Amino acid sequence: MSSKVYDSIKPIIWQGGSLQLLDQRLLPTEHIYITLRDVNSVAQAITDMVVRGAPAIGITAAYGIVIAARHRFSENSDNWKQAIEADLETLAQSRPTAVNLFWAIDLMRDVIKGIAADDPIATLLTLARQIHKDDIEANLKMGELGAQLIEEPCAVLTHCNAGALATGGYGTALGVIRSAFAQNKIQHVYADETRPWLQGARLTAWEMVHDNIPVTLLVEGAAAHAIKISQLDETPIRWIIVGSDRIAANGDVANKIGTYSLAILARHHGIKFMVVAPTTTIDMNITCGVDIPIEERSIKEVLSCSGLEVAAKGAKAINPAFDVTPAELVDAIVTEKGVVLKPDTEKMKALMTKVT
Ligand code: MRU
């Protein structure tokens, strides 16, 4: 796959010393970049879903720390390392589930601790740019490895948006789909609409149409039916391919709410379930999925639809943004370091200690 594809969808741009985020809340209707000039606005943009998707959140936080460092250093060059801790904490509070956020903050903090240079901002910007670049490279590698698992031309189903928009570029799950489509292994993509934020309808469908990959939208509730009837088609759904926000040490996978039910459906219908995520999404400090913090968002997002109140007054709601799929339902975890089939603790440990 040529670099043209991932180069053309850019959720995060660092330009002229400032951070620009493509406002994903407005897609696909409007393509507007927001310029962020202080760390509080960066954290707010993450919370408010201007930028979303685990790797994209981590990259954004890294650039946010560059902005914070510039401000703190210009205020007091003797005390900036202590002062910036408050900014790192502000970013850490922006969303709880995607571990890429905490991974990026920890990496930047370690470098800050050791910086002796007169110009710390240049060093931090180089690191943020490297995090961004490494993520795109990881996605291209995962695209290649994931596509190898798909043996015959088929259709696949995906959930939420794990595409270029959710990453530095190219995408995790959609990266595999892009690579496998280029090899004629995937002929059709079914995209779950993904209530309440409609990442599937607004973002995944947009990315697929943009790349001329045939895409059909469905509401999550239609997935079981679609999988069942597609088995009689010329191109049956053979794989469900998703991204992840955090993978525990035993291979349990946190991803967008609704992913767990898809994994159960896959097992019931004898189709395969693939999770595509860079190793920055793997949290070896969390033994199993039950300890992964699950974000609870405002219930207004469920009680309304595109800003319009739709639920009966007085109805309660819950709004967990993620769920956890047990490792036993996962056929493959695809990372840039390699593929783990039927994940468990031993295999995950072997992957993470593998020297590449
Ligand atoms: O709430 P979101 O839109 O940030 O959720 C995104 C997902 O669940 C993605 O599948 C996940 O972050 C992987 S993105 C490569």
Side-chain angles (χ1 to χ4, degrees):
M1 178 66 56
S2 79
S3 63
K4 246 176 73 196
V5 168
Y6 72 82
D7 271 343
S8 60
I9 300 177
K10 291 183 177 173
I12 306 161
I13 298 175
W14 179 272
Q15 206 171 43
S18 69
L19 175 63
Q20 296 179 15
L21 296 177
L22 179 59
D23 190 342
Q24 299 192 27
R25 299 167 304 179
L26 305 178
L27 287 171
T29 330
E30 290 179 86
H31 300 188
I32 292 175
Y33 281 88
I34 298 183
T35 302
L36 300 157
R37 295 196 171 81
D38 63 86
V39 71
N40 290 333
S41 319
V42 175
Q44 199 61 50
I46 295 172
T47 305
D48 292 347
M49 310 279 284
V50 172
V51 62
R52 29 65 52 201
I57 292 171
I59 296 162
T60 301
Y63 285 123
I65 293 168
V66 176
I67 294 172
R70 193 166 55 196
H71 178 70
R72 296 292 184 184
F73 188 75
S74 72
E75 249 182 10
N76 183 344
S77 58
D78 294 329
N79 179 48
W80 74 277
K81 289 189 184 185
Q82 288 98 301
I84 203 171
E85 274 304 321
D87 302 326
L88 303 189
E89 186 50 31
T90 301
L91 286 166
Q93 293 298 324
S94 59
R95 285 192 83 185
T97 305
V99 76
N100 307 60
L101 171 68
F102 307 99
W103 173 85
I105 293 172
D106 288 348
L107 196 63
M108 297 293 281
R109 177 186 281 118
D110 283 351
V111 170
I112 288 171
K113 277 188 191 147
I115 282 187
D118 288 342
D119 186 3
I121 314 310
T123 308
L124 291 173
L125 179 57
T126 303
L127 179 58
R129 284 200 156 122
Q130 192 64 44
I131 290 171
H132 195 165
K133 184 167 167 277
D134 287 351
D135 185 66
I136 297 172
E137 271 164 24
N139 291 338
L140 291 168
K141 183 70 196 171
M142 290 187 286
E144 189 188 310
L145 295 176
Q148 283 169 12
L149 297 175
I150 299 170
E151 284 162 357
E152 52 187 337
C154 64
V156 298
L157 189 146
T158 190
H159 187 63
C160 193
N161 171 267
L165 291 165
T167 62
Y170 199 65
T172 57
L174 294 194
V176 169
I177 289 173
R178 287 187 160 103
S179 295
F181 179 76
Q183 297 168 25
N184 296 319
K185 288 180 167 182
I186 289 179
Q187 296 182 335
H188 203 99
V189 177
Y190 289 86
D192 271 356
E193 152 190 77
T194 320
R195 269 280 286 156
W197 275 87
L198 307 180
Q199 290 94 331
R202 296 187 303 103
L203 310 179
T204 295
W206 180 69
E207 287 199 34
M208 296 292 90
V209 170
H210 180 276
D211 286 5
N212 291 316
I213 299 176
V215 62
T216 297
L217 274 173
L218 65 162
V219 297
E220 282 90 303
H225 176 74
I227 291 167
K228 188 167 82 176
I229 63 163
S230 94
Q231 300 314 306
L232 305 169
D233 286 355
E234 258 174 54
T235 43
I237 299 172
R238 292 265 189 250
W239 286 88
I240 291 175
I241 307 180
V242 295
S244 173
D245 285 78
R246 195 184 296 227
I247 300 176
N250 69 342
D252 287 353
V253 172
N255 192 47
K256 179 52 57 194
I257 191 76
T259 302
Y260 176 31
S261 28
L262 289 176
I264 295 170
L265 285 182
R267 192 54 54 92
H268 181 78
H269 288 282
I271 65 170
K272 298 271 181 64
F273 188 82
M274 185 194 304
V275 177
V276 190
T279 48
T280 51
T281 301
I282 298 173
D283 186 353
M284 293 304 279
N285 294 319
I286 284 201
T287 322
C288 63
V290 77
D291 294 326
I292 297 177
I294 299 294
E295 178 180 14
E296 283 284 342
R297 294 187 64 87
S298 164
I299 60 168
K300 284 188 192 149
E301 294 176 357
V302 173
L303 297 173
S304 61
C305 201
S306 303
L308 204 73
E309 280 183 31
V310 287
K313 289 249 180 290
K316 292 184 180 140
I318 57 166
N319 190 12
F322 302 97
D323 59 25
V324 175
T325 298
E328 71 212 51
L329 293 178
V330 177
D331 291 292
I333 294 180
V334 176
T335 76
E336 80 286 4
K337 279 181 126 187
V339 174
V340 179
L341 298 175
K342 307 265 174 220
D344 61 23
T345 305
E346 284 311 302
K347 292 179 191 172
M348 294 304 291
K349 209 185 284 174
L351 173 87
M352 294 306 275
T353 50
K354 188 168 139 187
V355 183
T356 47

